[in-house]
Amino acid sequence: MGTRTGESTTPLANGRVATRLPAQDLDRARAFYAEKLGLEPAEERPGGLLYHCAEGSFALFASSGAPSGSHTQMAWSVDDIETTVGELRSRGVAFEEVGLPGTTADGITTVSGNYPSKGTGERGVWFRDSEGNMLGIGQSIS
């Protein structure tokens, strides 16, 4: 069973997690995250862009490797998935069906089961960024 932050003395349990996503074309990726997701990097360095969200951060890094795109590589948890999906659709984000068991309405899939601390289920959507990374958005169901 896992522990919550601050309940362990191990370095990783007390550490912060940050996602790293490969980008074959960093300029193209920057444009996608700005135009489609409304996100601007908080910091830059040669070959990398760092973004901050309410909780956590992620970085895009220049890479000649390509992501498999066969699984969710990063996801956001939001309080209002309909509003979020509506805004992203208006920016041109195309959501994908991922074949999870559950029901789908207006592109949002409802999946039963969740971690006990997060509720009884989750509603989610998935899309790919300009580099092929599979990204998700979820809203817990209480």
Side-chain angles (χ1 to χ4, degrees):
M1 184 141 224
T3 60
R4 294 180 61 89
T5 302
E7 293 180 359
S8 175
T9 59
T10 66
L12 290 180
N14 289 325
R16 288 170 297 284
V17 175
T19 301
R20 304 290 186 256
L21 298 172
Q24 291 184 339
D25 183 327
L26 205 54
D27 290 332
R28 177 179 63 202
R30 175 201 282 273
F32 176 88
Y33 280 78
E35 294 165 13
K36 304 292 185 189
L37 306 184
L39 299 172
E40 294 291 341
E43 295 181 54
E44 299 179 42
R45 65 179 177 94
L49 302 171
L50 179 64
Y51 295 81
H52 295 300
C53 296
E55 292 183 26
S57 63
F58 68 95
L60 299 174
F61 67 94
S63 172
S64 61
S68 71
S70 63
H71 66 282
T72 307
Q73 294 167 267
M74 182 175 73
W76 286 267
S77 180
V78 298
D79 293 329
D80 183 347
I81 197 164
E82 285 90 358
T83 299
T84 302
V85 167
E87 179 178 331
L88 294 180
R89 277 190 180 135
S90 75
R91 292 172 170 265
V93 173
F95 294 96
E96 297 187 12
E97 297 283 332
V98 295
L100 285 177
T103 59
T104 301
D106 196 29
I108 300 171
T109 301
T110 300
V111 180
S112 61
N114 204 340
Y115 298 102
S117 65
K118 295 185 177 267
T120 60
E122 185 172 27
R123 300 175 69 218
V125 295
W126 293 264
F127 63 97
R128 294 179 195 279
D129 71 5
S130 61
E131 308 308 295
N133 295 300
M134 178 68 79
L135 307 176
I137 302 169
Q139 178 182 351
S140 293
I141 300 170
S142 299

